[in-house]
Amino acid sequence: MHVPDGFINAPVSAVTGVVAAGAIAVSLRGARRELDERTAPLAGLVAAFIFAVQMLNFPVAAGTSGHLLGGALAAILVGPYTGVLCVSVVLLMQGILFADGGLTALGVNITDMAIVTTVVSYALFRGLVKVLPRTRRSITVASFVAALLSVPAAAVAFTLIYAVGGTTDIAVTKVATAMIGVHVLIGIGEAVITALTVGAVVAVRPDLVYGARGLQQRLKLRVNGELVDTPASPAATAEPVPVAARSSHRKVWITGLVTSLVLAGFVSFYASTSPDGLEKVAKDKGIDAKAEKHATEDSSPLAGYGVKDVSDARVSGGLAGVIGVGVTIVAGTGIFWALRRRRTSDASPTSLPEGV
């Protein structure tokens, strides 16, 4: 789904750049309300995890692969505003350091992969959790459905952008059919990864999952050797209580970081080498006829997800992945801690006039 330079003309690229900048500005303000001392470090980790998992292309059809977009995962774990920022940080790192996604197309990519996926998935997620029982399983199910539908939504968004600003004369109906078809399949992989990740975090620290805030469980009583829920009557003395955490925040963070490093530094070597959904459609339909060379392809030492001058492909790709995770988590955590500190300073009481 990373759109390269040349697919979309300059005027539409500029407009999407304005849209992306506006959405990021709104998200910076909204993220202040979502972040606290526990979730600010988690948000940086989520960005790094999305970067790592996006390196793991999985096969979806003959000669086609897909990878995580991450909007649904980020929105559910850390909130929709923070989610937009998480994916945007990843796209910025990929575009500048790894020559993945055009620099002139950065607005297109943020609009499509960060904004559309996050907004669509979180709206669906919130709608589902309102009608489903407020349980851990419901959170996981809602995550699966929201992530599944967010990917074809992004494909539709790209098709609309192409219809307005595409640089090749390819029928929009052909582009729409091909893009939506393949990205429905990719959405299944997105849904599985998102549901497994959200489910894993909810199982140990539900209080860290933004979409699970308010998740409660009824106190249980042991009756004849079996645990049963307390009566759900107004007169019941036992009220529902927050779901307890099963692991410390530090353990969750360390586990997430180690997982990200292993995925990017080792598992990524075994990822599918087939072109992803957009690349395949662009080649088959001729959309890539006017694709341009990336501006940092020759200058960045990490272009193409490999370390320049390291001849061993396994070592080169692994080092690039580890560096990418490190840079992303540092950049993301720095941004989110700054927002957290800004929220704290904004919320602090102003000094009273002398003598009051």
Side-chain angles (χ1 to χ4, degrees), residues 66 160 186 213 288:
L160 293 175
I186 295 173
R213 290 186 177 182
D288 61 352

Side-chain angles (χ1 to χ4, degrees), residues 23 80 114 144 168 170 181 211 228-229 268 296 332 338:
F144 183 94
T168 51
I170 309 299
V228 298
D229 288 337
S268 62
T296 66

